[in-house]
Structures are given as structure tokens and as C-alpha cells.
């Protein structure tokens, strides 16, 4: 019961971080007070998508395992670079490496949680949940094809909603970002034109828009800019009480972002049967499924497995796979299925 209480406290702490928009330079130094002198510190860096849950797990696991986590929220691209350079004990990325990259860099990769990417807006007179878009419309907004919010293509999807005659101000990531990888991969899947002209990646040549760093940077830019639209991980949108757009899914339904639509999406996941352990959760065809879902991943150096830090990293994530579900749910993530978590624990045991 003590461990569960610590986990709940950790969830509240991490939720506070998301709500307050603590950003890219944050070092999550957790559980230091009261730890024994022999406690092992592990360092990780990367994904802002995963930062709230790693913060929560770090706070709870510190007391349960005598491991202290120092996590830097610097974006997925930088997280991959740092673990490849062996300047951190693990990297975190929403864009999974392929099997060849993992082998070349001597890395073990596994997912930790799943989460949703949502579109948020700042439109005077339009309340939360009262704007509906399709994937194709999102692509056209970010391509600069639609420049006004009262464009007929948008009003057609929103009967009865008075949309302002206001220019569209797209906000996108300025840093190498796994959230961008997921978002642009979705746009490429639903829009052949986007796939051909912009493509997908952690960093792309955006046709239009203002850049911001991190999920918290996107949230701040949208809050401060009327007429703006941005994309970010759901925990940041929910924590900041931002208006979230409803989206039409592949099943043809307009769906709201929330636990039910996220769980339905996860049930459609297609799991890779190779060393990537990657999940494809984008644009699932299930009824009620949220269309922009992804897993976030950890990258662990194989050649450090027998060092003190290497053993501590594996212990930390083994503990998290066994005990981290409540914290994940409290922060609006979807825990991995039981069989996937069991597989990951088996990988960590070797």
C-alpha cells in the first residue's frame, strides 16, 4: 500500500508539471530526499511525450528500488543522439528506430506506454469539443491550403457552429520531435498529397506555421495566439484545459479524445514481430477508435547491461512494467497490454 500511495503522489506531481508547462531544460531529479547513500542514479533524455510518466515512475520507484532518475526533456531526436553517443543511460523516443539502426548502435528498444496526439485550437467563440475536423483538413491546414477558419471546407464539417473570419495560425514543433513523427505519419497516411510533398519524420520542412519547442511550447504558443492550431500529446492538452478538436476516424465516425477512444484504438494495434518491438496504432479501423495514437519507446545500450547503471535501468523499467499502470492512467496514457509488458520484462531479464 505504501508503494501505491507513492505512485499516486507521483502522478499528481507529474500532472502538475504538465499543467504548468515545465519545459525542455527540465531535469527530473526524483526521490533524492530520504534515499540511502548507496542509491544509484540513472540518466535518461528525450521524448517530451513520455516525460510526465517517466517523472511519475521516477518518483515512485525511487523509494521502492533505491534508484534515482535524472530525466532531461529534450525531444526524441536529441534523445536518440545522446543514447547513441552513450552520454545517457537510456534514450526516449516516440519515433522507433528500425532493426538495422538498433543493431548498428547496439541498442535494445521497447515501448513503455501508449498515448494520443490531439489537435488543439484557440478560436474565440468556439468552445472545447465544438470543432470537428478530418485528417485531410488537418493536412490542408498545415500545408497552407486553408488559410481562414470560416473556409467552406471547415464549415461543412461543423453545421451550426459559427466559425470566425480569422486567419489560420498553425503551430508546429521547431525541434526534432517524436510527436511530430507521429503527427506527420498520420497526415501522410490520410493525405496522398501530404505524403508526396511533405512526408513524415521527426523534423520536416513545414510549408507554413510558427515553431515552438516541446509539447509545453506548443501548448503555450496556442494559448497565446488567437486563430492558432497545434498538435500535442493529450496529457499536455488535458492538463492545460485546452479545446481539443474532434476527429473523423477511419471507421467514418467523429470521435472525442478520451480514455474510451484511446483504449479502442489500442485494441487495433499491430505489433512488429522483430527487434523493434514497435506498435502501429495510427488510423485504426475499429469503431470509436481515436485516429492519432502511438507508443513511446526507450532505448537502452546493450554494452552497458552489466554496469551498475545498466542494471539499474533494467530494474527501473522492470519495476515500472509491474507497478506503473495506475500512474499511466492518471496521466491519460494507456498502459501496454499484459502480454506486451510480460515480453518486455523478459527482454530486461537478459
Amino acid at each position: 500500500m505504501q508503494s501505491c500511495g507513492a505512485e499516486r503522489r507521483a502522478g499528481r506531481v507529474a500532472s502538475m508539471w504538465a499543467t504548468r508547462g515545465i519545459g525542455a531544460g527540465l531535469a527530473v531529479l526524483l526521490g533524492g530526499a530520504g534515499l540511502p547513500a548507496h542509491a544509484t542514479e540513472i540518466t535518461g533524455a528525450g521524448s517530451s511525450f513520455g516525460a510526465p510518466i517517466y517523472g511519475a515512475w521516477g518518483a515512485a520507484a525511487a523509494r521502492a528500488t533505491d534508484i534515482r532518475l535524472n530525466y532531461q526533456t529534450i525531444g526524441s531526436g536529441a534523445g536518440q543522439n545522446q543514447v547513441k553517443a552513450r552520454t545517457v543511460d537510456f534514450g526516449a523516443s516516440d519515433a522507433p528506430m528500425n532493426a538495422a539502426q538498433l543493431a548498428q548502435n547496439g541498442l535494445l528498444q521497447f515501448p513503455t506506454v501508449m498515448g494520443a496526439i490531439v489537435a488543439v485550437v484557440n478560436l474565440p467563440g468556439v468552445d472545447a469539443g465544438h470543432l470537428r475536423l478530418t485528417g485531410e483538413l488537418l493536412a490542408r491546414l498545415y500545408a497552407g491550403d486553408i488559410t481562414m477558419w470560416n473556409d467552406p471546407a471547415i464549415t461543412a464539417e461543423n453545421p451550426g457552429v459559427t466559425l470566425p473570419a480569422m486567419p489560420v495560425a498553425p503551430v508546429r514543433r521547431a525541434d526534432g520531435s517524436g510527436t511530430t513523427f507521429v503527427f506527420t505519419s498520420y497526415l501522410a497516411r490520410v493525405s496522398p498529397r501530404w505524403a508526396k510533398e511533405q512526408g513524415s519524420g521527426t523534423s520536416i520542412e513545414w510549408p507554413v506555421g510558427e515553431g515552438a519547442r516541446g509539447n509545453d511550447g506548443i501548448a503555450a504558443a496556442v494559448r497565446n495566439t488567437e486563430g492558432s492550431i497545434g498538435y500535442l500529446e493529450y496529457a499536455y492538452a488535458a492538463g492545460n484545459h485546452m479545446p481539443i478538436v474532434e476527429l473523423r476516424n477511419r471507421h467514418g465516425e467523429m470521435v472525442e479524445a478520451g480514455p474510451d477512444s484511446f483504449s479502442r484504438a489500442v485494441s487495433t494495434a499491430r505489433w512488429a514481430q522483430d527487434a523493434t518491438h514497435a506498435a502501429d496504432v495510427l488510423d485504426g479501423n475499429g469503431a470509436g477508435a481515436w485516429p492519432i495514437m502511438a507508443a513511446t519507446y526507450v532505448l537502452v545500450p546493450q554494452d552497458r547491461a552489466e554496469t551498475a547503471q545498466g542494471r539499474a535501468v533494467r530494474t527501473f523499467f522492470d519495476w515500472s512494467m509491474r507497478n506503473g499502470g495506475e500512474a499511466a492512467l492518471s496521466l491519460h496514457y494507456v498502459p501496454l497490454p499484459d502480454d506486451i509488458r510480460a515480453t518486455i520484462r523478459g527482454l530486461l531479464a537478459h
Side-chain angles (χ1 to χ4, degrees):
M1 295 301 294
Q2 184 177 2
S3 175
C4 291
E7 189 171 70
R8 283 192 289 272
R9 290 192 295 274
R12 290 194 293 270
V13 169
S15 182
M16 177 183 70
W17 292 335
T19 302
R20 295 184 179 181
I22 296 177
L26 174 66
V28 181
L29 281 168
L30 295 165
L35 282 184
H38 62 270
T40 302
E41 180 176 303
I42 57 173
T43 60
S47 166
S48 61
F49 181 115
I53 190 59
Y54 299 146
W57 286 349
R63 300 186 184 281
T65 66
D66 293 342
I67 295 169
R68 182 170 61 177
L69 171 64
N70 177 336
Y71 184 79
Q72 291 279 346
T73 308
I74 58 175
S76 293
Q80 287 189 1
N81 290 336
Q82 287 209 12
V83 75
K84 286 191 290 186
R86 303 302 196 259
T87 55
V88 292
D89 298 316
F90 70 90
S93 174
D94 314 322
M97 288 187 178
N98 61 39
Q101 291 171 319
L102 293 170
Q104 179 182 356
N105 291 282
L107 297 170
L108 169 67
Q109 175 175 271
F110 55 89
T112 51
V113 290
M114 292 188 177
I117 307 300
V118 298
V120 293
V121 293
N122 180 347
L123 290 180
V126 179
D127 296 330
H130 287 178
L131 182 69
R132 296 180 165 191
L133 295 175
T134 65
E136 180 63 32
L137 285 174
L138 272 179
R140 293 182 64 191
L141 287 164
Y142 272 91
D145 294 338
I146 296 177
T147 60
M148 297 294 292
W149 279 110
N150 61 347
D151 186 283
I154 300 178
T155 59
E157 294 289 344
N158 293 274
V161 177
T162 302
L163 293 166
M166 177 177 288
V168 176
V171 181
R172 39 78 176 176
R173 288 285 286 270
D175 51 335
S177 157
T179 306
T180 293
F181 172 80
V182 175
F183 184 68
T184 57
S185 294
Y186 170 71
L187 296 185
R189 188 165 294 188
V190 298
S191 169
R193 181 178 174 185
W194 184 276
K196 179 180 178 181
E197 296 183 2
Q198 273 75 50
S200 60
T202 56
S203 182
I204 68 167
E205 292 292 330
W206 293 94
V208 295
E210 171 193 352
R213 299 185 68 84
N215 276 283
D216 54 316
I218 294 278
V222 172
R223 283 199 309 268
N224 295 329
T225 308
E226 289 192 347
S228 60
I229 181 170
Y231 60 90
L232 68 167
E233 200 272 325
Y234 177 75
Y236 291 83
N240 286 285
H241 307 290
M242 303 183 76
I244 298 172
V245 174
E246 289 187 16
L247 288 176
R248 188 182 304 282
N249 66 10
R250 189 177 174 189
H251 203 66
E253 307 160 310
M254 280 290 179
V255 292
E256 295 182 4
D260 183 60
S261 61
F262 300 162
S263 294
R264 289 172 181 266
V266 169
S267 71
T268 72
R270 297 169 294 279
W271 292 91
Q273 302 300 309
D274 61 14
T276 66
H277 304 289
D280 183 354
V281 209
L282 279 181
D283 201 27
N285 198 31
W290 182 254
I292 319 181
M293 292 286 295
T296 190
Y297 301 85
V298 157
L299 298 154
V300 178
Q302 298 275 42
D303 57 351
R304 303 287 179 87
E306 297 307 317
T307 66
Q309 276 67 34
R311 289 191 295 270
V313 166
R314 290 169 184 261
T315 298
F316 174 81
F317 284 108
D318 178 79
W319 183 94
S320 299
M321 290 296 102
R322 289 185 288 112
N323 301 285
E326 181 184 344
L329 289 169
S330 74
L331 292 171
H332 311 293
Y333 297 98
V334 180
L336 300 176
D338 290 346
D339 60 330
I340 301 300
R341 286 188 286 114
T343 297
I344 292 167
R345 293 190 64 209
L347 293 172
L348 293 170
H350 289 88

